[in-house]
Amino acid sequence: MIKSMKIGIVTIVVALLSSACSEKLNSTNKTKPVDSQTKAGNAYTILAEKLHTPWSIQFDEDTIYVSEREGHIVKISKGAVTRQKVKLNKPLKIQGEGGFLGIQLAPDFHESHQAYAYHTYEEGGKTLNRVVVLQEKNGGWEELKSYLEGIPGGHIHNGGRLAIGPDNMLYMTTGDSGVDKLAQDVKSNAGKILRMTLDGKVPSDNPFAKSYVYSYGHRNSQGLAWDKQGRMYSSEHGPSGDPGGHDEINLIEKGKNYGWPVIIGTEKKEGMVNPLYQTGDTAIAPSGIAVDPEGQLLTATLIGKKLYRFNPETKQLAAMLEGEGRLRDVKLHNGEIYVLTNNTDGRGNPSANDDRLLLLK
């Protein structure tokens, strides 16, 4: 069962104070946490608000870091909410679904203050994505080195989720960049789940020699998570238009082909893997996912505007949270559920206080 967290005083009123590397978003006036009853019957506490298109959540003990697509990392620590600048060696390109996307703190972050990040840039007239190592210093972040460059990008379908697996390898999702045939090309890093060592090398046991490609045939995966048995799950956006929907939850295995764009939904073809779950003609646009202690997948959805719990055994989805608009990421930390809204991404209807980081009760 998910236990409740006893929250004391939480700062939620936002004030912008300029500095060389960061902006303070918290108020000096301590205010009572805001609890709200949702349509699905869940109450929550707002930990941060007025975020700018937030994308991913990370934890260093009780300190929370949230990436923003516009090129910042928001730090939430002891009631203080600070927007930190990120200095990259190649200019960030913010266009469509691209920008500063996933972050993943290094396992030794408490000592090294290093993190991995995935961002969009432009080079030679092309939109691309890269994976870099950052370090937190002097109230901001600086790029230390680049691990992977030239991942195909575009106005849509950039992927961007980063996660460290139980094998202590760094995984990342990439989109097909709007060129669907690239998902079937194992020589391209587009439309894939990639895997690398924590120092940026190709693991010797990857399925394709001298390649970061771990699985392929993906359209635009934005969620990665593992259960207690080490099984790997991903969420993936299905096609737009006609047919639409067919969003997926996949059980990922090394070297397997997940079919896009050759098959969708329940269609079958030899050598291609069908999704563990697909939504049929209904679109929910799943993004961040997390596995709860009962082995069920918490799934944040954008078009669906709900946080779902998915049971891999019964293949059933149950809404846990709704009425908050688009949801980009979900994380479990110390048994508690954290959710990012994503109404400021240009496709939602933001309220005056969006976007927000919520802690479910």
Side-chain angles (χ1 to χ4, degrees), residues 170-302:
L170 180 64
Y171 291 78
M172 62 221 64
T173 68
T174 70
D176 68 9
S177 70
V179 183
D180 57 15
K181 66 181 181 180
L182 293 179
Q184 288 295 315
D185 182 359
V186 296
K187 294 181 180 180
S188 170
N189 284 328
K192 308 297 189 296
I193 293 175
L194 306 180
R195 176 178 182 255
M196 65 173 59
T197 65
L198 296 185
D199 59 357
K201 304 295 193 301
V202 175
S204 60
D205 59 346
N206 267 11
F208 304 99
K210 299 180 181 180
S211 171
Y212 291 111
V213 174
Y214 188 77
S215 65
Y216 64 109
H218 300 288
R219 182 174 182 266
N220 192 31
S221 180
Q222 291 188 358
L224 290 172
W226 289 261
D227 65 14
K228 291 180 180 178
Q229 289 72 43
R231 290 175 294 201
M232 180 181 178
Y233 297 92
S234 76
S235 64
E236 185 165 339
H237 295 181
S240 303
D242 186 15
H246 298 91
D247 296 320
E248 300 178 354
I249 294 175
N250 286 298
L251 181 62
I252 301 298
E253 296 182 35
K254 181 170 69 173
K256 294 296 180 67
N257 180 354
Y258 288 81
W260 176 256
V262 181
I263 60 172
I264 62 170
T266 58
E267 297 172 352
K268 296 184 181 298
K269 187 175 178 63
E270 186 176 355
M272 295 183 180
V273 180
N274 286 108
L276 182 65
Y277 176 83
Q278 57 91 22
T279 62
D281 293 335
T282 301
I284 61 173
S287 190
I289 60 175
V291 179
D292 73 14
E294 298 173 355
Q296 299 190 51
L297 270 70
L298 308 182
T299 307
T301 66
L302 297 161

Side-chain angles (χ1 to χ4, degrees), residues 29 115 122-124 126 178 240 255 287 327 352 360:
N29 297 318
E122 184 173 340
E123 194 166 82
K126 296 181 179 180
S240 303
S287 190
L327 305 179
L360 300 196

